[in-house]
Amino acid sequence: MPRFSVAEARQWGDQFVQFLQDTGREQESRRDTLRSIYNLEFRGRTDTKIPNFSCILYALRVTHRAQVHAESVHFKKEKRRVVVADQYRRPRTNAKALVSASATVPGQQPSSGPQVPQSRAKKWAEFIHEKHRIEIVSEHDQGNGHIRFPVVAGEPRTVTILVQNRGAEAVTLRRCQPHQQSQELSFTDEQGATQGQSLLLHPGGTYPIQVRCLTTCNGYFCAVVVFEFTKEPDEPFSIGRYIAAVAESQLAKDLGPSAPFQPYQASLQRPVTVITEDGIPPDSSLKNELEREIPLGTYQYPKSLKDTILLGPNASASSSWAAMWSLLEAPLQAENYRQKFQLLLHLEEIQMEVDIRRYDMQDVPMVQDRTLLVLDVPGVAENRPSVLKGDHLFAHLSSERDCSPLVQYKGYVHSVELEKVRLGFSSKLQKKFVNNLRFDVTFTFSRLPLQVQHRAATLAVQRGLSSLLFPSASCHKSLFTGTFQPRWFDRKLQANEEQCRAVTHIVTGMSRPAPYLIFGPPGTGKTVTLVEAIKQVWTCFKDARILACAPSNSAADLLCQRLIKDIPPRYVYRLIASSRSYQEVPADIRPCCNWDDEQSCYVYLSKEYLGRYRILITTLVTAGRSEDLGLSPPPTAGRPRAALQPGCEGSPAGVQQGGCGGGQAAGGPVLCRRTRMKARGGRMASQSRDDEAAPLHLSPRLVSANFAPGFFSHVFIDECGQAVEPESMVAIAGLLTAMDQETNPNGGQLVLAGDPQQLGPVLRSPLAIEHGLGISLLERLMLHNPLYKKSSGGYDPQFVTKLLWNYRSHEAILKIPNELFYDSELKACESDELDVRSLYCAWEELPKKGFPIIFHGVCGEDRREAKSPSFFNTAEIEVLVHYLKKLLQSRGKGGCPSVSPKEVGIISPYRKQVEKIRKAITSLDPVLRTLPDISLLKVGSVEEFQGQERRVILISTVRSCSEYLQLDQTFKLGFLKNPKRLNVAITRAKALLIVVGNPAVLSKDHHWQRFLRYCRAEGGYTGYPYEDESPAEDGLAADLHALRLSN
């Protein structure tokens, strides 16, 4: 038996206390219960010899970390040092350096996060500063070398800039010229300085320069002007000014910044010792019947990893950095699968700790509501930050922010109503509280999604899933003795060769143990194919158990809706997490979901009763919440009776023989909802959440239940490309057993459906992104596994099918995405009925009839406001509103069929632009705000539209200054530097696509340049005059670079 020192035992004790906190049992004080948790759960997480419970309890007591009184134990709150490790702010070997200093870009508002280099800010300050007492002034000065004045489109305006000599000696003005010519701005003077003629400026003298602006359209027109001087015997010198003329409507003015932009500044850059007073969590004594046999570890990242990131690849930490980098650079394989994904997930968590700080609030008041305190959190309704019942945050008195140690109070969320969050704090804070006391608030995120992904990576190795993750061949074993000759549920599939082929290969199982992939480009019927395959498996194999998953609630709901059209709901069970509002659940799937009508809460049946269903539908782990946060529903009041009934009333009659079981499906439980869902217990509070931003998940709960090996014969994952690989593994590891000729000959079928050319998961860590965490399981197999590689003859249909017929978009809209992303293989499917895709080809607003695309060029301005780092562009909103009114007021005139708001979608990559567009439509524009059903017009990010379609799509690209392109590339923001976002946005449109953007900036990206040239060539371009190879394009960026102020 190894002996442990007090220090070693204390370390294990500290880990046990953290384990209690992570599993929501930090309030447990009974000694016997703690001993059981330690022996049965905590010790089982590792094969390493660790001290017994008495040993760690003694160590915690003598080091004053615990108080022991007879049979009760109370753990003391640990002082901790708050340190964050921002991976964007550290130098990295073998990676592009990401600049982090904040600076002001000329003509733009300052930004937050990684910015243009600090040297640029210093150079700009020197460039605009007065020299030898020469000053450049104007009544339109904005500070920082900016001169900005308003103009009206179509009306010339001239303003004066004065060059003043405040010194005692004469100075020669050699010239005054814009560094690059502007179409809208011109410069004149009496003595020809703007033409390169020198003039002498005497002491006390003033010389005027006229700036004239004439523009045909609204926008933002700018130039950097250089004033060059000489003064004997000194060296020549220059002074610069950034001059901008702005033409905007009243709408654009109303949408302007609500407050000057304030760059984010981290409030806890220095290490601080913190003492935490725990709060009062909401009542959560509810339980459920679904077993928890597989424990969930804490999977905390080692402190040394954060230290390695903080220090970077310097001499003192080079060995740690080298070890980390070696694992990151190593190709993913079965031998390092767990270690590599755990490192990547740790890196992601470390960066999440940094990014959550951006939501912190200072000097905010709270008010008392009985035993709770109420905090206003702007943005919480949009999940910025995401806050749900059972979460917690930290608050300390603003007056004590500089104290050390700092006493902070942990507040648990009891409810969220609009932007008001009700919090339970400790009695110590309640006693000193008075209304409107000011606090600094720090938000947190749930670690549970990370934990279940860690566990999935571990289980994948423990359960021997390498033949699924790194397949090398098929066993060539068909599940049919004859030929599969189905009767199709969706008869339209019969005309689509690729869809029929995919369903056939899935049902026969010829790819096993390798997964089968459905590569579904936009509008090609990927989900239709997946649903048909599930129906055929259900019909043909009476012993098949199917788990169908998707990353979001909306995608999982869609699977359920389509399945129950042909399969009786008693065979289908839609598992929904308890933190989802029941009001969000579509009415048609409520009969087969886990909601109890009588008790108004969700219930979770045991494995025994879940086993009576043939098809379970749930979500993956993604960025959501889990009922494991102490919000579990009550246990059922009794065992619901269930009778197994053979037959398949919903299946097509007369399924052909050949392994289909004579057309009969195995029975499922015949349960009315009131019997099936009977439950007792407390009432559940529900929260309305944005589904795409915070999807809910039950797969981890199914894994914890520890179903018997081989229980699920098939696992289907839709939209697999949107999930990181460990997320997909949550639905596989512990739930699906790999096909084996001896032990599992009829199971182990994994089907992944998605499109690697569309948006993947949203991640924070640049190191994790760079080394593969952002690559989905589907994309990794298609990129790196020979079975799924495309050859000269196409893909091997035994393992993957690429769907080719597009049913959604007009062929003109489809053309560029098809060429850029799909090898020009997609084909627009012809329609025998009225083709909605051609409805707008005669619209009078089209620059060219028959071409249903408008690219409207706008020269706008990137703007920000208050503390939001998100961009908006009011000039683009003006144009969007113009087209929107033309569409919604057409009433069938002008070649534009009537269109309702719900058939129109507006996409923008920046949250602030989305917010401003919504404001313009619903409250500012007098015409649009009064239209019926205007609230049904969806405005959102590209991510919110993925998987959706609209008859008409309008896109606002926002970007008007390429100086921010590195920022976009770093954070995967915007359309530029992120071609998948471009692909998704364009392919949402069925009949009409309107893109509003700055052509000079967009053309910097070769994907956008291709689309822009296409629109120009086809006659679809309008708006701001633009020539493809214009030397003055994006003049500001060119000016700064030429003046050597860009780096």
Side-chain angles (χ1 to χ4, degrees), residues 63-219:
T63 55
H64 308 289
R65 294 171 184 264
Q67 291 180 334
V68 181
H69 301 286
E71 294 304 311
S72 70
V73 179
H74 297 280
F75 299 109
K76 293 184 177 180
K77 301 301 177 185
E78 179 187 0
K79 296 182 180 181
R80 61 188 181 90
R81 295 170 68 83
V82 180
V83 182
V84 296
D86 191 343
Q87 295 162 47
Y88 288 101
R89 295 176 179 268
R90 303 307 308 173
R92 305 204 302 274
T93 303
N94 295 334
K96 293 181 179 180
L98 296 172
V99 293
S100 61
S102 178
T104 301
V105 181
Q108 305 298 324
Q109 300 178 37
S111 175
S112 64
Q115 294 294 314
V116 293
Q118 179 67 26
S119 59
R120 154 110 49 90
K122 293 180 179 178
K123 288 179 180 179
W124 178 256
E126 175 63 24
F127 181 52
I128 66 173
H129 192 266
E130 67 174 62
K131 303 172 182 72
H132 299 284
R133 301 207 64 189
I134 299 296
E135 296 180 357
I136 313 293
V137 298
S138 168
E139 62 176 315
H140 301 285
D141 275 336
Q142 304 292 307
N144 197 37
H146 296 184
I147 297 172
R148 178 188 179 112
F149 60 95
V151 296
V152 177
E155 300 180 12
R157 180 174 184 191
T158 301
V159 300
T160 300
I161 298 175
L162 299 177
V163 184
Q164 299 177 338
N165 184 354
R166 300 292 190 185
E169 301 179 29
V171 173
T172 300
L173 174 58
R174 294 178 54 217
R175 75 177 74 184
C176 164
Q177 290 181 335
H179 200 270
Q180 290 196 359
Q181 294 300 318
S182 166
Q183 297 180 45
E184 294 78 21
L185 297 174
S186 58
F187 301 83
T188 59
D189 69 299
E190 291 183 355
Q191 298 187 35
T194 54
Q195 303 301 317
Q197 299 294 321
S198 297
L199 65 95
L200 193 64
L201 197 60
H202 294 283
T206 298
Y207 186 74
I209 304 289
Q210 282 73 44
V211 183
R212 182 178 185 269
C213 178
L214 177 60
T215 173
T216 58
C217 56
N218 284 353

Side-chain angles (χ1 to χ4, degrees), residues 195-432:
Q195 303 301 317
Q197 299 294 321
S198 297
L199 65 95
L200 193 64
L201 197 60
H202 294 283
T206 298
Y207 186 74
I209 304 289
Q210 282 73 44
V211 183
R212 182 178 185 269
C213 178
L214 177 60
T215 173
T216 58
C217 56
N218 284 353
Y220 179 81
F221 312 102
C222 55
V224 174
V225 180
V226 183
F227 299 81
E228 298 180 12
F229 303 90
T230 57
K231 178 177 179 293
E232 299 296 341
D234 300 307
E235 293 287 329
F237 63 94
S238 299
I239 300 176
R241 285 295 181 267
Y242 180 86
I243 300 174
V246 184
E248 58 184 353
S249 66
Q250 186 58 48
L251 175 64
K253 294 176 183 177
D254 294 341
L255 290 170
S258 59
F261 176 62
Q262 301 176 40
Y264 165 75
Q265 293 181 343
S267 58
L268 285 177
Q269 290 298 307
R270 61 185 178 86
V272 178
T273 301
V274 177
I275 300 174
T276 302
E277 294 289 345
D278 204 5
I280 302 172
D283 182 22
S284 57
S285 59
L286 307 176
K287 298 181 180 179
N288 67 88
E289 292 188 2
L290 188 56
E291 297 85 344
R292 296 186 184 180
E293 297 180 5
I294 300 180
L296 182 63
T298 56
Y299 302 102
Q300 297 279 357
Y301 63 76
K303 181 180 179 298
S304 59
L305 179 60
K306 180 185 281 189
D307 293 339
T308 299
I309 296 170
L310 281 167
L311 295 173
N314 60 21
S316 62
S318 58
S319 59
S320 298
W321 183 273
M324 178 188 76
W325 203 262
S326 175
L327 181 54
L328 289 175
E329 292 283 283
L332 183 69
Q333 50 194 355
E335 291 73 21
N336 67 4
Y337 191 84
R338 178 183 63 83
Q339 295 88 337
K340 182 158 187 175
F341 272 122
Q342 290 199 342
L343 173 58
L344 293 172
L345 290 169
H346 285 328
L347 292 172
E348 178 70 5
E349 180 177 357
I350 291 170
Q351 188 63 38
M352 288 169 68
E353 290 180 347
V354 176
D355 293 348
I356 193 68
R357 296 281 68 78
R358 296 180 182 275
Y359 298 113
D360 291 353
M361 305 165 69
Q362 286 193 337
D363 294 303
V364 292
M366 285 192 266
V367 296
Q368 198 159 24
D369 182 6
R370 287 173 285 188
T371 61
L372 302 177
L373 300 185
V374 182
L375 173 69
D376 283 336
V377 184
V380 71
E382 295 181 338
N383 295 311
R384 294 175 177 270
S386 177
V387 178
L388 286 176
K389 181 180 177 181
D391 289 353
H392 67 268
L393 52 75
F394 295 100
H396 62 260
L397 296 177
S398 299
S399 59
E400 298 178 357
R401 71 168 62 110
D402 294 323
C403 297
S404 185
L406 177 68
V407 178
Q408 69 175 7
Y409 301 91
K410 186 175 184 179
Y412 289 92
V413 178
H414 285 238
S415 67
V416 180
E417 297 174 8
L418 297 178
E419 293 190 340
K420 294 188 181 298
V421 180
R422 286 177 164 76
L423 300 159
F425 286 99
S426 76
S427 58
K428 291 184 179 180
L429 179 58
Q430 295 278 0
K431 289 176 182 177
K432 67 168 65 175

